[in-house]
Amino acid sequence: DPKKNLAYFHDQLHLKFGGIRKPRLGNTNLLNMARQKNWTVDASHGGGAPGHSRNLNFSDPNLRKWYSDQLLHYLTDGVDFWWNDEGETTYLTFHYWNVAEISTQNKTKGGSKKRFWSINRSFSPGMQRLGAATWTGDVDVSWKALQQQPGTALNWGLSGTNLVTCDIGGFSGGNATGLLLTRWYQYGVFMPLMRIHSTLNDKPHFPFLYGEEVADALRKALNLRYTLIPYLYSLAHHSFGQNGIPMMRPLAVRYPQDPKANDLTSEWLLGDGLLVAPVLTPDNSTEVYLPDGLWYPWNSSSSISGGVVRKLVDVPLHSIPMYASAGSIIPLGPVLQYSSEPTTEPLQVAVYPGVDGSFELVEDDGESLAYTESKTRRVNFQWSEAKYALSWKVEGVAIDSRSLFAAFVVTVYSPQKGVITKGPASIGPVGSSGQLVM
């Protein structure tokens, strides 16, 4: 009973369910019909798509309409999104495939007002406007594959596709070790999308299958990801409103005049304020280049002057090298069991002083397209070094959502005063403002 099963996933397990799709037909009668209508395309010239002449030509609007109608019952049964695989038949297959799926969603009750989301093995420029995410393909289970992932994601972000993910742990090539899986999880924490995957015949990449030490490190990585959701979600909104600036950025985006930053792919910026350099080698070592300016190790009031390379060895299994630049304001949430879990916990606002700084927290209803009409609540945080104070102003519109934060606690990591915490302070309704002097 698909409806019953999917309702259980939604209501009891708080899971979203995605249906994996291939762009071809296997039913003989349907395949004969499609060929008679010239709806198929031979994939033998494509970039990795199997199926030969059984693949569908999604550039044909008549095919898209027929295909869209066939998908409808899946959505009414409770399927939440699509996982589109093996569509490298033509350059625009994935684009038009998503267009057909959006048409299906628009046929459901309220579907035209709901966000569309899919995950795809390839992309063409412009697909991000559809709500289509992309993963980096069927990568190997190896340290080399892990080391290649950040550069791929950074380049894809610069090319316009912001929502990038990968097969954490690797897809093909045998079982991942606990060390490799841990370092891959830790990399995934700082991708726009975090997604764990493996083949059916290999050891699944579940934390509880790799011993207590590894499970503890993976749990810490997952918990960190959940606490970063307010920051990541705001960065996604910034990307939408600021000409597609990537969430995951090469250092050269912020430091274009620094030649040392030009080609780095073993570290990157998440937004402007957070520099991350996860360990990507089996010897538990890494080098981190900190550009000019003042930097803080994550959750530390000790500052480091930039323009230096830090050589880190014997990095503990649970540790991820992370640094915040002076002036950074990082909003953090509580540890959750699922991203839309209601909470009464206050927002945690981490401030790393040294220069003035700002950050805009953006919240919305989490489901609809209302954000495209600027129906968001925005909290503009400003740090004044002269006043040693954090001020805030609430703008936008009132949002009916259980996920909105009502209050926040601010923590300042001061080299002179140590760690200072104040709050909770009420965020207040739209139009309100306030200030906390630290």
Side-chain angles (χ1 to χ4, degrees), residues 152-421:
T152 299
L154 291 167
N155 279 320
W156 286 13
L158 292 176
S159 72
T161 188
N162 190 39
L163 300 178
V164 180
T165 186
C166 71
D167 291 350
I168 288 177
F171 179 73
S172 59
N175 294 325
T177 65
L179 178 60
L180 175 60
L181 185 61
T182 299
R183 297 310 189 192
W184 213 315
Y185 262 66
Q186 291 170 345
Y187 158 63
V189 168
F190 307 103
M191 295 194 77
L193 300 170
M194 186 179 184
R195 169 182 176 269
I196 293 91
H197 189 43
S198 61
T199 63
L200 182 64
N201 297 322
D202 292 332
K203 187 177 181 179
H205 296 156
F206 298 134
F208 49 80
L209 297 178
Y210 292 82
E212 289 188 13
E213 182 183 19
V214 170
D216 183 60
L218 299 183
R219 183 182 301 109
K220 288 180 178 177
L222 290 169
N223 286 344
L224 175 60
R225 175 70 180 196
Y226 274 107
T227 62
L228 285 169
I229 284 177
Y231 183 62
L232 291 164
Y233 202 72
S234 296
L235 291 180
H237 271 287
H238 299 172
S239 181
F240 171 74
Q242 298 176 24
N243 299 317
I245 186 169
M247 301 162 64
M248 181 178 173
R249 305 168 190 173
L251 268 64
V253 170
R254 184 174 178 185
Y255 304 97
Q257 306 304 321
D258 186 342
K260 295 180 181 179
N262 286 347
D263 298 321
L264 287 175
T265 58
S266 60
E267 61 183 89
W268 59 94
L269 295 168
L270 201 60
D272 271 343
L274 193 57
L275 186 152
V276 294
V279 174
L280 304 174
T281 58
D283 63 357
N284 295 317
S285 68
T286 189
E287 292 187 356
V288 185
Y289 172 65
L290 299 176
D292 286 341
L294 197 64
W295 296 89
Y296 297 80
W298 185 246
N299 285 341
S300 173
S301 59
S302 300
S303 60
I304 303 168
S305 295
V308 298
V309 175
R310 305 196 78 202
K311 296 184 178 182
L312 307 179
V313 297
D314 298 326
V315 179
L317 185 65
H318 65 272
S319 181
I320 311 173
M322 302 168 54
Y323 301 86
S325 62
S328 294
I329 300 173
I330 312 291
L332 303 166
V335 173
L336 302 172
Q337 296 305 305
Y338 55 98
S339 59
S340 59
E341 181 181 10
T343 179
T344 58
E345 293 293 314
L347 181 75
Q348 301 291 326
V349 179
V351 176
Y352 293 88
V355 297
D356 292 349
S358 64
F359 188 83
E360 183 181 65
L361 174 76
V362 187
E363 299 167 292
D364 59 29
D365 62 26
E367 296 285 343
S368 79
L369 293 169
Y371 74 93
T372 63
E373 301 173 352
S374 300
K375 293 180 180 179
T376 59
R377 188 182 79 163
R378 304 183 304 278
V379 184
N380 290 291
F381 290 104
Q382 300 279 340
W383 171 254
S384 169
E385 189 70 14
K387 298 178 180 178
Y388 227 68
L390 182 73
S391 61
W392 70 96
K393 184 176 182 180
V394 186
E395 299 178 332
V397 299
I399 303 295
D400 182 17
S401 174
R402 295 179 300 170
S403 64
L404 295 184
F405 288 98
F408 70 93
V409 172
V410 59
T411 300
V412 177
Y413 295 90
S414 169
Q416 295 80 28
K417 302 179 181 181
V419 179
I420 313 166
T421 299

Side-chain angles (χ1 to χ4, degrees), residues 2-17 77-78 80 338 340 342 402:
K3 287 187 177 181
K4 184 177 179 180
N5 287 342
L6 292 176
Y8 172 74
F9 290 164
H10 294 152
D11 300 337
Q12 302 300 317
L13 302 181
H14 306 290
L15 296 176
K16 301 288 187 182
F17 180 88
D77 283 349
D80 296 292
Y338 55 98
S340 59
R402 295 179 300 170

Side-chain angles (χ1 to χ4, degrees), residues 42-54:
D42 192 335
S44 60
H45 63 282
H52 300 288
S53 62
R54 295 191 293 113

